Amino acid sequence: MAITETSRLTSGDILLSRIDEYLFKIESLFNLIAGVVIFLTMCLGVIQVVGRSFFNQPVPAYVDIIELMMATFAFLGISYCQKLGGHVRMEIVLKQFKGRAFWIAEVIGTLVMMWIIAILMIYGYEHFLRAFELGDSTIDGDYPLWPSKLVVPVAFGLLMCRLTVNLWGFVRLVIRPNAEPIGIPVLETVDDQAEHEIRTSGLGDEAITERSLRQRQGAE
Amino acid sequence: MDENLLIGIYGSIGMLVMVLIGVRVFAAAALTGLLGCVAILGWDAGAGIVGTIPHSKAVNYALSVLPMFVLIGFIAYHAGLTHALFDAAKAWFGWVPGGLAVATVFATAGFAAVSGASTATAAVFTRVAIPHMLENGYDRRLAAGVVAAGGTLASLIPPSAILVVYALIVEQSVGALLLAGFIPGVVSAIIYAMLIVGQCVLRPELGRPIKSPPLVQRFKTLPPITPVIAVVGIIFYSMYSGKATPTEAGALGAFVVFVIALFRGMTVGNIMDALLETAKLTVMIFSLVWGVLIFVRFLGFAGLPQAFAEWIVALPLPPLAIMVLILLAYTILGMFMDAIGMLLLTLPVVYPAVIALGYHPIWFGIIVVKMCEVCLITPPVGLNCYVVHAVRPDIPLGDVFRGIGPFFGADVATLALFIAFPEIILWLPRFEGMGAS
């Protein structure tokens, strides 16, 4: 979008931007919890190997514990990933659309996602409710299963909030295609994608691109 | 035609349309799966089955290895491996024609193996290796090409997340796949090295040998690269001996890299960033897995994979010709789509057909993953080439793509080699009694 109307933010735009910002804070927290659980999974794996190999003392019900922990990193970050445009998709056809047509395609894509996630959220909640009411538990350790199953509707619920914000953002751009994009997932060109890969790889200044270097110097 | 099969075909076409207009792959697959199951089984039974799939399929111990491998990748850089690997490779291989480029191949292979990330490897070695090569008068295209190509060695040498995903989707042994990737990964690196040496012997101006340090100095370059040897060794030994599960081996590997990275000065901020990125990539893979498994459940009810396999086998073409056609289709698809997404989306239908043609499941896994990697250097997307250009805009994108040309040729030759001699792939897992069928 070559020309943006940055100076003409309506009160609705400001509200959307605020909601987007707050939602991202919750998403970041959820994703961080997932990250910390991954770290704990690593620690537990090491304790298991060391305990079993050197002390003949494996972690009791190790597989049960790992499976209970898995629900967090399998689902909690799903909305964070959506915000950052991390879920895989094919963009080659989409990018042929320009202006309003592009944003209409994005609206359709968002509605499709909302459709499936809403159904999975409801059935995921029922799945949790059954486990909760029947007192479902793991085989080895007899740990209750419902907390792990509850993660699914919670994560999908947050994703529904994110998708609603996305939908609002895209519909706004359908109406005003040249407005500054707000509340939509990060959209990347191949160049951006390359830049992003470098930025998020933990490579620091070693692999900084000339573009980032210029931006940083400009900021200083 | 059977009514369910027809629903399966319409469903698959519907999903392709959704994917083409840019719907996230996991959502397109899940929605198609849901609607298909509902069409075949009715709302209550169909939606009831589909509603339990995300939790029941994602919360599976076998999948817990994925975040471990991803985590290793995001902390590998902090263990200071890049310079150590390049220095060691330079010391040992610098004396051959095109020595610095050969050293880059082996250093990138080592780092890519541990980090598992092709594009990140290409990015970092653009900074580490290209300046050295250019200072020594190396051809700009060769320098850029070798870095972009070197990154693609990530997916075969263990630990490799994409091989785990393949193993889980087609229900093969994760250990067998990880072992099977090792020799093809090393062979690919050696073929790259031979290509460079060949080019530089014919045209010495492309890249001249550099003076190697004395033997004592050479040995001194080895201790700093121990984390790489440790990680690959741990995964390898665990699979080889059966003494640890892939998750445990991955956890141990991640822990070793983590401790070394802490000693090398990784900060709390670095750790947080690594965990956030690991969680994001992990949830992306998990979403694809359960989304595609919903689709797979629908395909099963529709009987589409069996029907496709029967159709493929009945084609009046030799199996090899069909395999080449399948690989060509992957090349085209891979130009536009992320490797894991492409594999997950196509394997449920393609895999049974490949097996019906008489090909080995583990062999096909390595071939198809190698294919995905080749797509990282082919235009129009060729992400690795864009990465090199993004880090060094003074090297025009056209030069990077021209530089990659010979490596693409080498990859085609490597694939032909693996097709002609499947034992290169199958020897190691067979030796260990895995996937011996």
Side-chain angles (χ1 to χ4, degrees), chain B residues 61-108:
Chain B
Y61 178 71
L63 283 170
S64 60
V65 60
L66 288 169
M68 298 299 102
F69 283 5
V70 173
L71 181 62
I72 294 176
F74 281 114
I75 50 180
Y77 172 74
H78 298 289
L81 294 175
T82 50
H83 285 283
L85 277 164
F86 190 57
D87 289 344
K90 230 169 38 180
W92 288 92
F93 301 105
W95 57 274
V96 301
L100 280 178
V102 173
T104 306
V105 166
F106 289 116
T108 49

Side-chain angles (χ1 to χ4, degrees), chain B residues 181-322:
Chain B
F182 183 74
I183 293 179
V186 173
V187 168
S188 300
I190 291 173
I191 290 182
Y192 279 173
M194 282 163 52
L195 170 79
I196 296 165
V197 172
Q199 276 182 303
C200 294
V201 166
L202 293 174
R203 291 175 57 200
E205 72 277 11
L206 286 180
R208 298 186 191 280
I210 58 160
K211 200 166 167 277
S212 278
L215 206 58
V216 181
Q217 290 293 325
R218 282 196 223 175
F219 275 104
K220 279 189 179 162
T221 62
L222 294 182
I225 63 167
T226 39
V228 178
I229 299 162
V231 169
V232 177
I234 287 169
I235 310 285
F236 208 79
Y237 177 71
S238 306
M239 300 303 104
Y240 177 87
S241 66
K243 282 195 175 159
T245 63
T247 305
E248 291 164 2
L252 215 52
F255 185 72
V256 168
V257 180
F258 177 70
V259 170
I260 293 165
L262 277 184
F263 275 108
R264 295 268 164 91
M266 182 168 67
T267 63
V268 175
N270 296 146
I271 299 171
M272 296 287 264
D273 286 347
L275 289 180
L276 280 173
E277 284 303 319
T278 303
K280 183 181 147 220
L281 192 54
T282 302
V283 80
M284 183 273 264
I285 300 174
F286 271 79
S287 305
L288 271 172
V289 168
W290 62 253
V292 167
L293 287 175
I294 292 176
F295 179 60
V296 167
R297 184 62 66 93
F298 156 54
L299 288 183
F301 285 128
L304 192 67
Q306 297 93 306
F308 183 71
E310 282 165 21
W311 177 75
I312 284 274
V313 172
L315 283 178
L317 287 170
L320 184 62
I322 298 173

Side-chain angles (χ1 to χ4, degrees), chain B residues 10-38:
Chain B
Y10 288 144
S12 303
I13 294 170
M15 188 187 66
L16 276 181
V17 171
M18 281 195 272
V19 169
L20 278 177
I21 63 164
V23 178
R24 308 278 164 185
V25 172
F26 85 92
L31 183 65
T32 312
L34 171 79
L35 296 179
C37 284
V38 167

Side-chain angles (χ1 to χ4, degrees), chain A residues 31 48 52 62 67 70 75 86-89 93-94 123 127 148 196-198 200 202-203 206 208-210, chain B residues 20-22 24-25 43 54-55 58-61 74 77 83 119-120 127 243 248 276-277 280 284 390 393:
Chain A
N31 196 55
Q48 164 79 346
R52 195 181 51 212
Y62 167 74
E67 289 199 339
M70 282 181 78
F75 296 102
H87 290 293
V88 177
R89 67 168 175 176
V93 177
L94 189 68
Y123 279 86
H127 197 44
S148 155
H196 174 85
E197 290 279 340
I198 295 161
T200 57
L203 302 177
E206 185 96 65
I208 195 167
T209 63
E210 292 299 326
Chain B
L20 278 177
I21 63 164
R24 308 278 164 185
V25 172
W43 181 264
H55 185 271
V59 176
N60 168 1
Y61 178 71
F74 281 114
Y77 172 74
H83 285 283
T119 42
R127 278 265 180 246
K243 282 195 175 159
E248 291 164 2
L276 280 173
E277 284 303 319
K280 183 181 147 220
M284 183 273 264

Side-chain angles (χ1 to χ4, degrees), chain B residues 334-380:
Chain B
M335 289 173 187
F336 308 110
M337 199 190 240
D338 171 89
I340 289 185
M342 173 174 85
L343 273 194
L344 281 167
L345 207 56
T346 54
L347 281 177
V349 176
V350 172
Y351 175 76
V354 168
I355 300 311
L357 285 172
Y359 287 103
H360 197 287
I362 291 171
W363 174 86
F364 182 64
I366 301 300
I367 293 284
V368 87
V369 165
K370 171 82 186 160
M371 204 72 224
C372 292
E373 287 293 283
V374 175
C375 294
L376 279 173
I377 54 170
T378 46

